[in-house]
Coordinates of all heavy atoms in Angstrom, one line a residue:
M1 N 196.8 138.8 172.0 CA 196.1 139.9 171.5 C 195.0 139.5 170.6 O 195.2 138.7 169.7 CB 197.1 140.9 170.8 CG 196.4 142.1 170.2 SD 197.5 143.2 169.3 CE 198.2 144.1 170.7
I2 N 193.8 140.2 170.7 CA 192.7 139.9 169.9 C 192.8 140.7 168.6 O 193.0 141.9 168.6 CB 191.4 140.2 170.6 CG1 191.2 139.3 171.8 CG2 190.2 140.1 169.7 CD1 190.0 139.6 172.7
D3 N 192.7 140.0 167.5 CA 192.7 140.6 166.2 C 191.2 141.0 165.9 O 190.4 140.2 165.3 CB 193.2 139.6 165.1 CG 193.3 140.2 163.7 OD1 192.8 141.3 163.5 OD2 193.9 139.5 162.9
T4 N 190.9 142.2 166.2 CA 189.5 142.7 166.1 C 189.0 142.8 164.6 O 187.9 142.5 164.3 CB 189.2 144.0 166.8 OG1 190.2 145.0 166.3 CG2 189.4 143.9 168.3
A5 N 189.9 143.1 163.7 CA 189.6 143.2 162.3 C 189.2 141.8 161.8 O 188.2 141.6 161.1 CB 190.7 143.8 161.5
R6 N 189.9 140.8 162.2 CA 189.6 139.4 161.8 C 188.3 139.0 162.5 O 187.5 138.3 161.8 CB 190.8 138.5 162.2 CG 190.6 137.0 161.9 CD 190.7 136.7 160.5 NE 190.5 135.3 160.3 CZ 189.6 134.8 159.4 NH1 188.9 135.6 158.6 NH2 189.5 133.5 159.3
L7 N 188.1 139.3 163.7 CA 186.9 139.0 164.4 C 185.7 139.6 163.7 O 184.7 138.9 163.4 CB 186.9 139.5 165.8 CG 185.8 139.1 166.7 CD1 185.6 137.6 166.8 CD2 186.0 139.6 168.1
V8 N 185.7 140.8 163.3 CA 184.7 141.4 162.5 C 184.5 140.7 161.2 O 183.3 140.5 160.8 CB 184.9 143.0 162.3 CG1 184.0 143.6 161.3 CG2 184.8 143.7 163.6
E9 N 185.5 140.4 160.5 CA 185.5 139.7 159.2 C 184.7 138.4 159.4 O 183.9 138.0 158.6 CB 186.9 139.5 158.7 CG 186.9 138.8 157.4 CD 188.4 138.5 156.9 OE1 189.3 139.2 157.3 OE2 188.6 137.5 156.2
V10 N 185.1 137.6 160.4 CA 184.5 136.3 160.6 C 183.0 136.5 161.0 O 182.1 135.7 160.5 CB 185.2 135.6 161.8 CG1 184.4 134.3 162.2 CG2 186.6 135.2 161.3
A11 N 182.7 137.5 161.8 CA 181.3 137.7 162.2 C 180.4 138.1 160.9 O 179.3 137.7 160.8 CB 181.2 138.8 163.2
R12 N 181.0 138.9 160.1 CA 180.3 139.3 158.8 C 180.0 138.1 158.0 O 179.0 137.9 157.4 CB 181.0 140.4 158.1 CG 180.9 141.7 158.7 CD 181.6 142.8 157.9 NE 181.4 144.1 158.6 CZ 182.2 145.1 158.6 NH1 183.3 145.0 157.9 NH2 181.9 146.2 159.2
G13 N 181.0 137.2 157.9 CA 180.9 136.0 157.1 C 179.8 135.1 157.7 O 179.0 134.5 157.0
E14 N 179.8 135.0 159.1 CA 178.8 134.2 159.8 C 177.4 134.8 159.5 O 176.4 134.0 159.3 CB 179.1 134.2 161.3 CG 178.0 133.4 162.1 CD 178.0 131.9 161.7 OE1 178.9 131.4 161.1 OE2 177.0 131.3 162.2
L15 N 177.3 136.1 159.4 CA 176.0 136.7 159.1 C 175.5 136.3 157.7 O 174.3 136.0 157.6 CB 176.0 138.2 159.2 CG 175.8 138.8 160.6 CD1 176.1 140.3 160.6 CD2 174.3 138.6 161.0
V16 N 176.3 136.3 156.8 CA 176.0 135.9 155.4 C 175.4 134.4 155.5 O 174.4 134.1 154.9 CB 177.1 136.0 154.4 CG1 176.8 135.3 153.1 CG2 177.5 137.4 154.2
C17 N 176.1 133.6 156.2 CA 175.7 132.2 156.4 C 174.4 132.1 157.1 O 173.5 131.3 156.7 CB 176.8 131.4 157.1 SG 178.3 131.1 156.2
L18 N 174.2 132.9 158.1 CA 172.9 132.9 158.9 C 171.7 133.3 158.0 O 170.6 132.7 158.1 CB 173.0 133.8 160.1 CG 173.8 133.3 161.3 CD1 174.0 134.4 162.3 CD2 173.2 132.1 161.9
W19 N 171.9 134.3 157.1 CA 170.8 134.6 156.2 C 170.5 133.5 155.3 O 169.4 133.2 155.0 CB 171.2 135.9 155.4 CG 171.1 137.2 156.2 CD1 172.1 137.9 156.7 CD2 169.8 137.8 156.6 NE1 171.5 139.0 157.3 CE2 170.2 139.0 157.3 CE3 168.5 137.5 156.4 CZ2 169.2 139.8 157.8 CZ3 167.5 138.3 156.9 CH2 167.9 139.5 157.6
G20 N 171.6 132.8 154.8 CA 171.3 131.6 154.0 C 170.6 130.5 154.7 O 169.7 129.8 154.2
D21 N 171.0 130.3 156.0 CA 170.4 129.3 156.8 C 168.9 129.7 157.0 O 168.0 128.8 157.1 CB 171.1 129.2 158.2 CG 172.4 128.5 158.0 OD1 172.8 128.0 157.0 OD2 173.2 128.6 159.0
L22 N 168.6 131.0 157.2 CA 167.2 131.4 157.4 C 166.4 131.1 156.1 O 165.3 130.7 156.2 CB 167.2 132.9 157.7 CG 165.8 133.5 157.9 CD1 165.0 132.8 159.0 CD2 165.9 135.0 158.2
D23 N 167.0 131.4 155.0 CA 166.2 131.1 153.7 C 165.9 129.6 153.6 O 164.8 129.3 153.3 CB 167.1 131.6 152.6 CG 166.4 131.4 151.2 OD1 165.3 132.0 151.0 OD2 166.9 130.6 150.4
E24 N 166.9 128.8 154.0 CA 166.7 127.4 153.9 C 165.7 126.9 154.9 O 164.8 126.1 154.6 CB 168.0 126.7 154.1 CG 168.0 125.1 154.0 CD 169.3 124.5 154.1 OE1 170.3 125.1 153.9 OE2 169.3 123.3 154.4
A25 N 165.8 127.4 156.1 CA 164.9 127.0 157.2 C 163.4 127.4 156.8 O 162.5 126.6 157.1 CB 165.2 127.7 158.5
R26 N 163.3 128.5 156.2 CA 161.9 128.9 155.8 C 161.4 128.0 154.7 O 160.2 127.7 154.7 CB 161.9 130.4 155.4 CG 160.5 131.0 155.3 CD 160.5 132.4 155.1 NE 160.9 132.7 153.7 CZ 160.5 133.8 153.0 NH1 159.9 134.7 153.7 NH2 160.9 133.9 151.8
R27 N 162.2 127.7 153.8 CA 161.8 126.8 152.7 C 161.5 125.4 153.2 O 160.6 124.7 152.8 CB 162.9 126.6 151.6 CG 162.9 127.8 150.7 CD 163.9 127.6 149.5 NE 165.3 127.9 150.0 CZ 166.3 127.1 150.0 NH1 166.1 125.9 149.5 NH2 167.5 127.4 150.5
D28 N 162.2 125.0 154.3 CA 161.9 123.7 154.9 C 160.8 123.7 155.9 O 160.3 122.6 156.3 CB 163.2 123.2 155.6 CG 164.3 122.8 154.7 OD1 164.1 122.7 153.4 OD2 165.5 122.7 155.1
A29 N 160.3 124.8 156.3 CA 159.2 124.9 157.3 C 157.9 124.4 156.6 O 157.8 124.4 155.4 CB 159.1 126.3 157.8
H30 N 157.0 124.1 157.4 CA 155.7 123.6 156.9 C 155.1 124.6 155.9 O 154.9 125.8 156.3 CB 154.7 123.4 158.1 CG 153.4 122.9 157.7 ND1 153.2 121.7 157.1 CD2 152.2 123.5 157.7 CE1 151.9 121.6 156.8 NE2 151.3 122.7 157.2
E31 N 154.8 124.2 154.7 CA 154.3 125.1 153.7 C 155.1 126.3 153.4 O 154.6 127.3 153.0 CB 152.8 125.4 154.0 CG 151.9 124.2 154.0 CD 150.4 124.6 154.3 OE1 150.1 125.8 154.4 OE2 149.6 123.6 154.4
G32 N 156.4 126.2 153.7 CA 157.3 127.3 153.4 C 157.0 128.6 154.1 O 157.4 129.7 153.7
Q33 N 156.5 128.4 155.3 CA 156.1 129.6 156.1 C 157.2 130.0 157.1 O 158.3 130.3 156.6 CB 154.8 129.4 156.8 CG 153.6 129.2 155.9 CD 153.4 130.4 155.0 OE1 153.3 131.5 155.5 NE2 153.3 130.3 153.7
W34 N 157.0 129.9 158.3 CA 157.9 130.3 159.4 C 157.9 129.2 160.4 O 157.0 128.5 160.6 CB 157.5 131.6 160.0 CG 158.6 132.4 160.6 CD1 158.8 132.5 161.9 CD2 159.6 133.2 160.0 NE1 159.9 133.3 162.2 CE2 160.4 133.7 161.0 CE3 159.9 133.5 158.6 CZ2 161.5 134.6 160.7 CZ3 160.9 134.3 158.4 CH2 161.7 134.8 159.4
S35 N 159.0 129.1 161.1 CA 159.2 128.1 162.1 C 159.9 128.6 163.3 O 160.5 129.7 163.3 CB 159.9 126.9 161.6 OG 161.3 127.2 161.3
M36 N 160.0 127.8 164.4 CA 160.8 128.2 165.6 C 162.3 128.3 165.2 O 163.0 129.1 165.7 CB 160.6 127.2 166.7 CG 159.2 127.4 167.3 SD 158.8 126.1 168.6 CE 160.1 126.2 169.6
G37 N 162.7 127.5 164.2 CA 164.0 127.5 163.7 C 164.3 128.8 163.1 O 165.4 129.4 163.2
C38 N 163.3 129.4 162.3 CA 163.5 130.7 161.7 C 163.7 131.7 162.8 O 164.5 132.6 162.7 CB 162.3 131.0 160.8 SG 162.1 129.9 159.4
D39 N 162.8 131.7 163.8 CA 162.9 132.6 164.9 C 164.3 132.6 165.5 O 164.9 133.7 165.8 CB 161.9 132.3 166.0 CG 160.5 132.7 165.6 OD1 160.3 133.6 164.7 OD2 159.5 132.2 166.2
S40 N 164.8 131.4 165.7 CA 166.2 131.3 166.4 C 167.2 131.9 165.5 O 168.1 132.6 166.0 CB 166.5 129.8 166.6 OG 167.8 129.6 167.1
L41 N 167.2 131.7 164.2 CA 168.1 132.3 163.3 C 168.0 133.8 163.2 O 169.1 134.5 163.2 CB 168.0 131.7 161.9 CG 168.4 130.2 161.8 CD1 167.8 129.6 160.5 CD2 169.9 130.1 161.7
V42 N 166.8 134.3 163.3 CA 166.7 135.8 163.3 C 167.3 136.3 164.6 O 167.9 137.4 164.5 CB 165.2 136.2 163.2 CG1 164.9 137.6 163.5 CG2 164.7 135.9 161.8
E43 N 167.1 135.7 165.7 CA 167.7 136.2 166.9 C 169.2 136.2 166.8 O 169.9 137.1 167.3 CB 167.2 135.3 168.1 CG 165.8 135.5 168.5 CD 165.4 137.0 168.7 OE1 166.1 137.7 169.4 OE2 164.4 137.5 168.1
R44 N 169.8 135.2 166.2 CA 171.3 135.2 166.0 C 171.7 136.3 165.1 O 172.7 136.9 165.3 CB 171.7 133.8 165.5 CG 171.5 132.7 166.6 CD 171.7 131.3 166.1 NE 173.0 131.1 165.5 CZ 173.3 130.1 164.7 NH1 172.4 129.2 164.4 NH2 174.5 130.0 164.2
I45 N 170.9 136.5 164.0 CA 171.2 137.6 163.1 C 171.1 138.9 163.9 O 172.0 139.8 163.8 CB 170.3 137.6 161.9 CG1 170.6 136.4 161.0 CG2 170.3 138.9 161.2 CD1 169.5 136.1 160.0
K46 N 170.1 139.1 164.7 CA 169.9 140.3 165.5 C 171.0 140.5 166.5 O 171.4 141.6 166.9 CB 168.6 140.3 166.2 CG 167.4 140.6 165.2 CD 166.1 140.6 166.0 CE 165.0 141.0 165.2 NZ 163.7 141.1 166.0
A47 N 171.6 139.4 167.0 CA 172.7 139.6 168.0 C 174.0 140.1 167.3 O 174.7 140.9 167.9 CB 172.9 138.2 168.7
L48 N 174.3 139.6 166.1 CA 175.5 140.0 165.5 C 175.5 141.3 164.7 O 176.4 142.0 164.6 CB 175.9 138.9 164.5 CG 176.6 137.6 165.1 CD1 176.9 136.6 164.0 CD2 177.9 138.0 165.7
T49 N 174.3 141.6 164.1 CA 174.2 142.7 163.2 C 174.6 144.1 163.9 O 175.4 144.8 163.3 CB 172.8 142.8 162.6 OG1 172.6 141.6 161.8 CG2 172.7 144.0 161.7
P50 N 174.1 144.4 165.1 CA 174.6 145.6 165.7 C 176.1 145.7 165.9 O 176.6 146.8 166.0 CB 173.8 145.7 167.0 CG 172.6 144.7 166.8 CD 173.2 143.7 165.9
L51 N 176.7 144.6 166.0 CA 178.2 144.6 166.3 C 179.0 144.9 165.1 O 180.1 145.4 165.2 CB 178.6 143.3 166.9 CG 177.8 142.9 168.2 CD1 178.2 141.5 168.6 CD2 178.1 143.9 169.3
V52 N 178.5 144.4 163.9 CA 179.3 144.5 162.7 C 178.6 145.2 161.5 O 179.2 145.3 160.5 CB 179.9 143.1 162.3 CG1 180.8 142.5 163.3 CG2 178.7 142.2 161.9
G53 N 177.4 145.6 161.7 CA 176.7 146.2 160.6 C 175.8 145.3 159.8 O 176.0 144.1 159.9
A54 N 175.0 145.9 159.0 CA 174.0 145.1 158.2 C 174.8 144.4 157.1 O 175.7 144.9 156.5 CB 173.0 146.0 157.6
T55 N 174.4 143.2 156.8 CA 174.9 142.4 155.7 C 174.4 143.1 154.4 O 173.2 143.5 154.4 CB 174.3 141.0 155.7 OG1 174.7 140.3 157.0 CG2 174.8 140.1 154.5
P56 N 175.2 143.3 153.5 CA 174.8 144.0 152.2 C 173.6 143.2 151.6 O 173.7 141.9 151.5 CB 176.0 144.0 151.3 CG 177.2 143.9 152.3 CD 176.7 143.1 153.5
W57 N 172.6 143.9 151.2 CA 171.4 143.2 150.7 C 171.8 142.3 149.5 O 171.1 141.2 149.3 CB 170.3 144.2 150.3 CG 170.7 145.1 149.1 CD1 171.2 146.3 149.1 CD2 170.5 144.8 147.7 NE1 171.4 146.8 147.9 CE2 170.9 145.9 147.0 CE3 170.0 143.6 147.0 CZ2 170.9 145.9 145.6 CZ3 169.9 143.7 145.7 CH2 170.4 144.8 144.9
A58 N 172.8 142.6 148.7 CA 173.1 141.8 147.6 C 173.7 140.4 148.0 O 173.8 139.5 147.1 CB 174.1 142.5 146.7
Q59 N 174.0 140.2 149.3 CA 174.5 139.0 149.8 C 173.4 138.1 150.5 O 173.7 137.1 151.1 CB 175.7 139.2 150.7 CG 176.9 139.8 150.1 CD 178.0 140.0 151.0 OE1 177.8 140.4 152.2 NE2 179.2 139.7 150.6
V60 N 172.2 138.6 150.3 CA 171.0 137.9 151.0 C 170.1 137.3 149.9 O 170.0 137.9 148.8 CB 170.2 139.0 151.8 CG1 169.0 138.4 152.4 CG2 171.1 139.5 152.9
Q61 N 169.6 136.2 150.2 CA 168.7 135.4 149.3 C 167.5 136.3 148.8 O 166.9 137.0 149.6 CB 168.2 134.1 149.9 CG 169.4 133.1 150.1 CD 170.4 133.5 151.1 OE1 170.2 134.3 152.0 NE2 171.6 133.1 150.9
I62 N 167.2 136.2 147.6 CA 166.2 137.0 146.9 C 164.9 136.9 147.6 O 164.2 137.9 147.7 CB 166.2 136.8 145.4 CG1 165.4 137.9 144.7 CG2 165.7 135.4 145.1 CD1 165.5 137.8 143.2
A63 N 164.5 135.7 148.0 CA 163.1 135.6 148.6 C 163.0 136.4 149.9 O 162.0 136.9 150.2 CB 162.9 134.1 148.9
L64 N 164.1 136.5 150.7 CA 164.1 137.2 151.9 C 164.0 138.7 151.7 O 163.5 139.5 152.5 CB 165.3 136.9 152.8 CG 165.5 135.5 153.2 CD1 166.8 135.2 153.9 CD2 164.3 135.1 154.1
L65 N 164.5 139.2 150.5 CA 164.4 140.6 150.1 C 163.0 140.9 149.6 O 162.3 141.8 150.0 CB 165.4 140.9 149.0 CG 166.9 140.7 149.4 CD1 167.7 140.8 148.2 CD2 167.3 141.7 150.5
E66 N 162.5 140.0 148.7 CA 161.2 140.2 148.1 C 160.1 140.2 149.2 O 159.1 140.9 149.1 CB 160.9 139.0 147.1 CG 161.7 139.1 145.9 CD 161.6 137.9 145.0 OE1 161.4 136.7 145.5 OE2 161.6 138.1 143.8
D67 N 160.2 139.3 150.2 CA 159.2 139.2 151.2 C 159.4 140.2 152.3 O 158.6 140.3 153.3 CB 159.2 137.8 151.8 CG 158.7 136.8 150.8 OD1 158.1 137.1 149.7 OD2 159.0 135.6 151.0
G68 N 160.4 141.0 152.3 CA 160.7 142.1 153.3 C 161.2 141.6 154.6 O 161.3 142.3 155.6
V69 N 161.7 140.3 154.6 CA 162.2 139.8 155.9 C 163.5 140.5 156.3 O 163.7 141.0 157.4 CB 162.5 138.3 155.8 CG1 163.2 137.7 157.0 CG2 161.2 137.5 155.5
Y70 N 164.4 140.7 155.3 CA 165.6 141.4 155.5 C 165.4 142.8 156.1 O 165.9 143.3 157.0 CB 166.4 141.5 154.2 CG 167.7 142.3 154.2 CD1 168.9 141.8 154.7 CD2 167.6 143.6 153.7 CE1 170.0 142.6 154.7 CE2 168.8 144.4 153.7 CZ 170.0 143.9 154.1 OH 171.1 144.7 154.1
Q71 N 164.4 143.5 155.4 CA 164.1 144.9 155.8 C 163.5 144.9 157.2 O 163.8 145.8 158.0 CB 163.1 145.5 154.7 CG 163.7 145.6 153.3 CD 163.5 144.4 152.4 OE1 163.6 143.3 152.9 NE2 163.2 144.6 151.2
R72 N 162.6 144.0 157.5 CA 161.9 144.0 158.8 C 162.9 143.7 159.9 O 162.8 144.4 160.9 CB 160.8 142.9 158.8 CG 160.1 142.8 160.1 CD 159.1 141.6 160.2 NE 159.7 140.3 159.8 CZ 160.3 139.5 160.6 NH1 160.6 139.9 161.8 NH2 160.8 138.3 160.1
V73 N 163.8 142.8 159.7 CA 164.8 142.5 160.8 C 165.6 143.7 161.1 O 165.8 144.1 162.3 CB 165.7 141.3 160.4 CG1 166.9 141.2 161.3 CG2 164.9 140.0 160.3
H74 N 166.0 144.4 160.1 CA 166.8 145.6 160.3 C 166.0 146.8 160.9 O 166.5 147.5 161.8 CB 167.5 146.1 159.1 CG 168.6 145.1 158.7 ND1 168.4 144.1 157.8 CD2 169.9 145.0 159.1 CE1 169.6 143.4 157.7 NE2 170.5 143.9 158.5
Q75 N 164.7 146.9 160.5 CA 163.9 147.9 161.1 C 163.7 147.6 162.5 O 163.7 148.6 163.3 CB 162.5 147.9 160.3 CG 161.5 148.9 160.9 CD 160.2 148.8 160.1 OE1 159.8 147.8 159.6 NE2 159.5 150.0 160.1
E76 N 163.5 146.4 162.9 CA 163.3 146.0 164.3 C 164.6 146.4 165.1 O 164.5 146.6 166.3 CB 163.0 144.5 164.5 CG 161.6 144.2 164.0 CD 161.3 142.7 163.9 OE1 162.1 141.9 164.4 OE2 160.2 142.4 163.5
L77 N 165.7 146.3 164.5 CA 167.0 146.7 165.2 C 167.2 148.2 165.2 O 168.2 148.7 165.8 CB 168.2 146.0 164.5 CG 168.3 144.5 164.7 CD1 169.3 143.9 163.7 CD2 168.6 144.2 166.1
G78 N 166.4 148.9 164.4 CA 166.7 150.4 164.3 C 167.8 150.7 163.3 O 168.4 151.8 163.4
I79 N 168.1 149.8 162.4 CA 169.2 150.0 161.5 C 168.5 150.2 160.1 O 167.8 149.4 159.6 CB 170.1 148.7 161.4 CG1 170.8 148.5 162.8 CG2 171.1 148.9 160.3 CD1 171.6 147.3 162.9
E80 N 168.9 151.3 159.5 CA 168.3 151.7 158.2 C 169.1 150.9 157.1 O 170.3 150.9 157.0 CB 168.4 153.2 157.9 CG 167.7 153.6 156.7 CD 167.7 155.1 156.5 OE1 167.7 155.8 157.6 OE2 167.7 155.6 155.4
V81 N 168.3 150.2 156.3 CA 168.9 149.6 155.1 C 168.0 150.0 153.9 O 166.8 150.2 154.0 CB 168.9 148.0 155.2 CG1 169.9 147.6 156.3 CG2 167.5 147.5 155.5
T82 N 168.7 150.0 152.7 CA 168.0 150.3 151.5 C 168.3 149.2 150.5 O 169.4 148.8 150.3 CB 168.5 151.7 150.9 OG1 168.3 152.7 151.9 CG2 167.7 152.0 149.6
V83 N 167.2 148.6 150.0 CA 167.3 147.6 149.0 C 166.9 148.1 147.7 O 165.8 148.7 147.6 CB 166.4 146.4 149.5 CG1 166.5 145.2 148.4 CG2 166.8 145.8 150.8
D84 N 167.7 147.8 146.7 CA 167.3 148.2 145.3 C 166.3 147.2 144.8 O 166.7 146.2 144.2 CB 168.6 148.3 144.5 CG 168.3 148.8 143.0 OD1 167.1 148.8 142.6 OD2 169.3 149.1 142.4
M85 N 165.0 147.5 145.0 CA 164.0 146.5 144.6 C 163.9 146.4 143.1 O 163.5 145.3 142.6 CB 162.7 146.9 145.2 CG 162.7 146.7 146.8 SD 163.2 145.1 147.4 CE 161.9 144.0 146.9
D86 N 164.4 147.4 142.3 CA 164.4 147.2 140.9 C 165.4 146.2 140.5 O 165.2 145.3 139.6 CB 164.7 148.6 140.2 CG 163.6 149.6 140.3 OD1 162.4 149.2 140.5 OD2 163.9 150.8 140.2
A87 N 166.6 146.2 141.1 CA 167.6 145.2 140.9 C 167.1 143.8 141.3 O 167.4 142.8 140.6 CB 168.9 145.6 141.6
V88 N 166.4 143.8 142.4 CA 165.9 142.5 142.9 C 164.9 141.9 141.9 O 164.9 140.8 141.5 CB 165.2 142.7 144.3 CG1 164.4 141.4 144.7 CG2 166.3 143.0 145.4
A89 N 164.0 142.8 141.4 CA 163.0 142.4 140.4 C 163.7 141.9 139.1 O 163.3 140.9 138.5 CB 162.0 143.5 140.1
E90 N 164.8 142.6 138.7 CA 165.5 142.2 137.5 C 166.1 140.8 137.7 O 166.1 140.0 136.8 CB 166.6 143.2 137.2 CG 166.1 144.5 136.6 CD 167.2 145.5 136.4 OE1 168.4 145.2 136.4 OE2 166.8 146.7 136.3
H91 N 166.7 140.6 138.9 CA 167.3 139.3 139.2 C 166.3 138.2 139.2 O 166.5 137.1 138.7 CB 168.1 139.4 140.5 CG 168.9 138.2 140.8 ND1 170.0 137.8 140.0 CD2 168.8 137.2 141.7 CE1 170.5 136.6 140.4 NE2 169.8 136.3 141.5
R92 N 165.1 138.5 139.8 CA 164.0 137.5 139.8 C 163.6 137.2 138.4 O 163.4 136.0 138.1 CB 162.8 138.1 140.6 CG 161.6 137.2 140.5 CD 161.8 135.8 140.9 NE 162.0 135.7 142.4 CZ 162.5 134.6 142.9 NH1 162.8 133.5 142.2 NH2 162.7 134.5 144.2
A93 N 163.5 138.2 137.5 CA 163.1 137.9 136.1 C 164.1 137.0 135.5 O 163.8 136.1 134.7 CB 162.9 139.2 135.4
W94 N 165.4 137.3 135.8 CA 166.5 136.5 135.2 C 166.4 135.0 135.7 O 166.5 134.1 134.9 CB 167.9 137.1 135.5 CG 169.0 136.3 135.0 CD1 169.5 136.4 133.7 CD2 169.8 135.3 135.7 NE1 170.6 135.5 133.6 CE2 170.7 134.8 134.8 CE3 169.7 134.8 137.0 CZ2 171.6 133.9 135.1 CZ3 170.6 133.8 137.3 CH2 171.6 133.4 136.4
L95 N 166.2 134.9 137.0 CA 166.0 133.5 137.6 C 164.9 132.8 137.0 O 165.0 131.6 136.7 CB 165.9 133.6 139.1 CG 167.1 134.0 139.9 CD1 166.7 134.2 141.4 CD2 168.2 133.0 139.8
D96 N 163.7 133.5 136.8 CA 162.5 132.9 136.2 C 162.8 132.4 134.8 O 162.4 131.4 134.4 CB 161.3 133.8 136.3 CG 160.9 134.0 137.7 OD1 161.3 133.3 138.6 OD2 160.1 135.0 137.9
Q97 N 163.5 133.3 134.1 CA 163.9 132.9 132.7 C 164.8 131.7 132.6 O 164.6 130.9 131.8 CB 164.6 134.1 132.0 CG 164.9 133.9 130.5 CD 163.7 133.6 129.7 OE1 162.6 134.1 129.9 NE2 163.9 132.7 128.7
Q98 N 165.7 131.6 133.6 CA 166.6 130.5 133.6 C 165.9 129.2 133.9 O 166.2 128.2 133.3 CB 167.7 130.7 134.7 CG 168.7 131.9 134.4 CD 169.3 131.8 133.1 OE1 170.0 130.8 132.8 NE2 169.2 132.8 132.3
A99 N 164.9 129.3 134.7 CA 164.0 128.1 135.1 C 163.3 127.7 133.9 O 163.1 126.5 133.7 CB 163.1 128.5 136.2
V100 N 162.9 128.6 133.0 CA 162.1 128.2 131.8 C 163.0 127.6 130.8 O 162.6 126.6 130.1 CB 161.4 129.5 131.2 CG1 160.8 129.2 129.8 CG2 160.4 130.0 132.1
T101 N 164.2 128.0 130.7 CA 165.1 127.5 129.6 C 165.9 126.2 130.0 O 166.5 125.7 129.2 CB 166.2 128.6 129.2 OG1 166.9 128.9 130.4 CG2 165.5 129.8 128.6
T102 N 165.7 125.8 131.3 CA 166.4 124.6 131.7 C 165.5 123.4 131.8 O 164.4 123.4 131.6 CB 167.1 124.8 133.0 OG1 166.2 125.2 134.0 CG2 168.3 125.7 132.9

């Protein structure tokens, strides 16, 4: 018997990892832009998301939120997501402050 609840849980975890992989792939791409590897990761994200729902924005890397990548991927899927950009800006300010103090 297939444990569908466990399958959904694993798929959601994989989505979190895929968003992290996308952030890393973009940072590793030439001049931090976009690559074929990024395209491949987005396609994998797009394959899983309709099956288990959007990854909560708070579990996605800040750069992908700031640049609208997270929002664009979901828009292309026809899935509405709302990102608290005030909270994102606050977190960015905190990260920038941490970088100054270290």
Side-chain angles (χ1 to χ4, degrees):
M1 178 181 278
I2 296 176
D3 183 349
T4 55
R6 176 73 178 128
L7 186 58
V8 168
E9 179 185 335
V10 169
R12 286 185 177 147
E14 180 63 14
L15 273 171
V16 171
C17 292
L18 287 170
W19 283 108
D21 292 347
L22 178 58
D23 183 60
E24 184 177 339
R26 196 171 73 155
R27 281 184 282 122
D28 290 347
H30 179 69
E31 296 182 5
Q33 295 299 311
W34 204 257
S35 68
M36 290 173 51
C38 294
D39 285 337
S40 175
L41 288 162
V42 166
E43 290 308 311
R44 291 170 60 196
I45 290 168
K46 285 181 173 182
L48 281 176
T49 298
L51 302 174
V52 296
T55 300
W57 67 266
Q59 294 180 320
V60 174
Q61 289 65 29
I62 192 168
L64 298 174
L65 301 169
E66 291 171 323
D67 294 343
V69 174
Y70 172 84
Q71 297 90 320
R72 177 185 53 82
V73 168
H74 290 93
Q75 181 180 26
E76 290 173 2
L77 288 169
I79 296 172
E80 187 174 331
V81 292
T82 303
V83 177
D84 183 347
M85 292 308 288
D86 290 335
V88 170
E90 287 175 18
H91 188 64
R92 171 54 71 196
W94 181 83
L95 288 173
D96 291 347
Q97 181 60 36
Q98 296 305 305
V100 170
T101 60
T102 56

